Amino acid sequence: MNTAALLAEAAALDARDALAPLRARFALPVADDGATLTYLCGHSLGLMPLAARTLVAEELEDWARLGVNGHHSARRPWIEYAGFMQQGLARLAGADAAEVVAMNALSVNLHLLLASFYRPQCQRRCIVIEEGAFSSDRHAVASLLQWHGLDPATTLIEIAPAGGSDLIEESALESLLASRGAEVALVLWPGVQYRTGQAFDLARVAAAARRAGAICGFDLAHAIGNIPLALHDDGADFAVWCSYKYLNAGPGAIGGAFVHSRHSRASLPGFAGWWGHDPRTRFLMEPGFVPAAGAAAWQVSNPPVLSAAPLIASLQLFDEAGIGALRAKSLSLDAFLRRHLDASFSAALHGVTPREPARHGCQLSLRVRSGREAGRRLFEGLAARGVVADWREPDILRISPVPLYNTHGDVARLLLRLDELLKESS
Ligand SMILES: *Cc1c(COP(=O)(O)O)cnc(C)c1O
């Protein structure tokens, strides 16, 4: 690997990047010696927008200065807080504003929406997920089935990758639904699979579920803020996400949800709380529940302002950049990374994530061909040399160049460290 040539190539690509100034709007993590780390882990925890500090400080100041009056008189009145995230989230979700809401955390939102949308009837009782789903999602659906008195061993269908592959084709879901669709009440599918980085054709998944008469819900933990979404037009029934991955809203940040406008809380059962009540009459505190319009009706509690303020800061940056431009840069970062992995490391590393642009986002999942122990050593070696990636058992190194704050230079640094480590171990 020619260091000078690689760095020059990266510098040329970065010089042409119109989004490059955004990097300075984030806090870049540093090593103990103060050196800036090469952070490639935005799929797990996005970096802090510097403006998050300002917004959180403003909320603390308003609380200190105003006490309870901050509900109406804070710079961003707390009563209306969910509204400050609505437009930005709707743009990223590809939805109407009323179809999205910032609330709770991902797994909680999954439970709340499953409570409304999973309606087992007679033979139609099964839930379909992908094999190897994120543990929390599997826990949510298995515990829901049990809560309904059903046995997940017979009512939870997990679609496995075709033999020898890590990937699940949309056609596998289509053929399952073609043969067993009448048994399926609900399909819960990822936008981007957390381990493999595979992105799915969500319109195709939603259409297959609808044809079978099943509800379609999406987990967008790894998709929102990563790939452009069109939930309304794709026809999803509901979706949920967290905001600390590509949305950069910080650890434990407020999550979000989408409910298609063809559904209304007034005609669906569900768990209610005062914050889902019509805001015009919420404070009359009457016993009857009158749902708010749209997805907002699924709110239960008043929003956690301190965990929502950073999301407002981050959504502002998405609006400045535009998800289309971010996606174009993401594909450039990915192509640069892939080109050099193919040229130099294909004997050592296997790219699990599909190569076609429509089938991946920022994340590239790599399997170390020489096995799990060597893989873990490689991951630890990268960490020791200032590259932040992560490891998912049993054998996946995950790397994500994120267009809001990563550069082709970051990718070049990753490649150089990989080169050193693989040479040492061979
Ligand atoms: C990150 C992630 C979660 C995390 O759930 P929380 O409720 O936010 O703790 C759940 N599911 C998927 C698919 C994820 O990627």
Side-chain angles (χ1 to χ4, degrees):
M1 183 157 271
N2 181 332
T3 305
L6 183 71
L7 291 173
E9 186 189 353
L13 289 166
D14 286 333
R16 277 192 262 130
D17 171 19
L19 300 179
L22 286 167
R23 179 175 170 95
R25 313 271 294 276
F26 287 87
L28 302 175
V30 291
D32 291 343
D33 66 1
T36 302
L37 295 171
T38 300
Y39 194 84
L40 295 167
C41 215
H43 56 266
S44 183
L45 189 78
L47 292 183
M48 187 188 86
L50 294 174
R53 201 178 260 144
T54 313
L55 266 72
V56 171
E58 286 175 356
E59 301 307 344
L60 291 172
E61 268 168 35
D62 286 352
W63 176 25
R65 186 166 55 87
L66 298 165
V68 71
N69 292 326
H71 282 305
H72 294 284
S73 307
R75 271 162 273 212
R76 288 168 292 276
W78 302 327
I79 281 211
E80 302 160 32
Y81 219 76
F84 298 121
M85 292 159 276
Q86 203 172 23
Q87 299 289 346
L89 288 175
R91 279 188 279 274
L92 293 178
D96 299 334
E99 291 178 313
V100 301
V101 62
M103 60 180 189
N104 310 309
L106 190 162
S107 305
V108 173
N109 291 340
L110 189 52
H111 278 295
L112 290 174
L113 289 166
L114 286 170
S116 288
F117 282 99
Y118 175 65
R119 315 300 315 154
Q121 287 164 358
C122 313
Q123 288 313 103
R124 194 182 279 285
R125 303 188 300 189
C126 294
I127 297 181
V128 177
I129 60 173
E130 89 276 22
E131 189 183 276
F134 196 97
S135 57
S136 197
D137 299 52
R138 195 182 187 287
H139 297 326
V141 292
S143 64
L144 177 73
L145 290 163
Q146 285 162 338
W147 190 81
H148 278 274
L150 299 169
D151 180 1
T154 53
T155 51
L156 181 57
I157 302 175
E158 296 169 273
I159 299 189
S165 170
D166 291 291
L167 308 176
I168 302 174
E169 302 300 320
E170 286 86 351
S171 59
L173 174 64
E174 288 167 341
S175 42
L176 176 105
L177 291 170
S179 60
R180 296 183 63 186
E183 298 164 51
V184 176
L186 188 143
V187 175
L188 176 66
W189 209 252
V192 173
Q193 217 281 343
Y194 84 99
R195 191 191 305 270
T196 63
Q198 178 182 6
F200 292 93
D201 180 341
L202 299 189
R204 191 169 160 189
V205 171
R210 282 201 100 178
R211 266 198 311 278
I215 290 285
C216 178
F218 289 123
D219 185 325
L220 303 178
H222 286 266
I224 195 159
N226 176 6
I227 55 176
L229 296 167
L231 292 180
H232 179 91
D233 289 347
D234 289 350
D237 291 293
F238 73 90
V240 293
W241 58 84
C242 53
S243 307
Y244 46 81
K245 292 170 181 166
Y246 295 97
L247 291 187
N248 314 310
I254 190 169
F258 161 92
V259 178
H260 198 281
S261 57
R262 68 174 172 269
H263 298 295
S264 146
R265 179 65 178 77
S267 51
L268 286 167
F271 296 129
W274 73 321
W275 225 255
H277 189 103
D278 183 345
R280 290 168 300 187
T281 52
R282 179 187 293 145
F283 288 93
L284 298 179
M285 308 300 244
E286 287 174 347
F289 179 69
V290 180
W298 274 266
Q299 293 172 103
V300 175
S301 297
N302 72 104
V305 165
L306 297 178
S307 96
L311 178 57
I312 298 176
S314 178
L315 289 172
Q316 169 69 36
L317 297 174
F318 277 97
D319 279 339
E320 282 179 36
I323 190 71
L326 288 166
R327 172 67 170 163
K329 177 173 171 185
S330 168
L331 292 178
S332 168
L333 291 164
D334 182 78
F336 178 54
L337 174 56
R338 287 274 196 174
R339 194 159 63 242
H340 288 285
L341 285 174
D342 287 349
S344 304
F345 308 124
S346 59
L349 303 173
H350 165 67
V352 166
T353 309
R355 192 176 283 274
E356 308 91 297
R359 299 179 77 205
H360 68 77
C362 297
Q363 179 181 322
L364 177 59
S365 299
L366 295 171
R367 178 172 291 125
V368 180
R369 294 191 197 270
S370 50
R372 178 175 177 279
E373 291 316 310
R376 277 213 67 100
R377 273 200 305 281
L378 185 66
F379 160 66
E380 282 158 16
L382 287 172
R385 289 164 197 239
V387 177
V388 184
D390 74 4
W391 178 255
R392 275 292 168 268
E393 296 294 344
D395 59 358
I396 296 286
L397 180 68
R398 299 190 302 178
I399 289 160
S400 300
V402 169
L404 271 173
Y405 47 78
N406 284 125
T407 60
H408 299 84
D410 289 333
V411 172
R413 281 184 281 281
L414 164 72
L415 291 162
L416 293 170
R417 300 298 91 79
L418 281 175
D419 192 42
E420 293 158 12
L421 289 160
L422 291 169
K423 275 194 187 120
E424 272 174 22
S425 68
S426 64

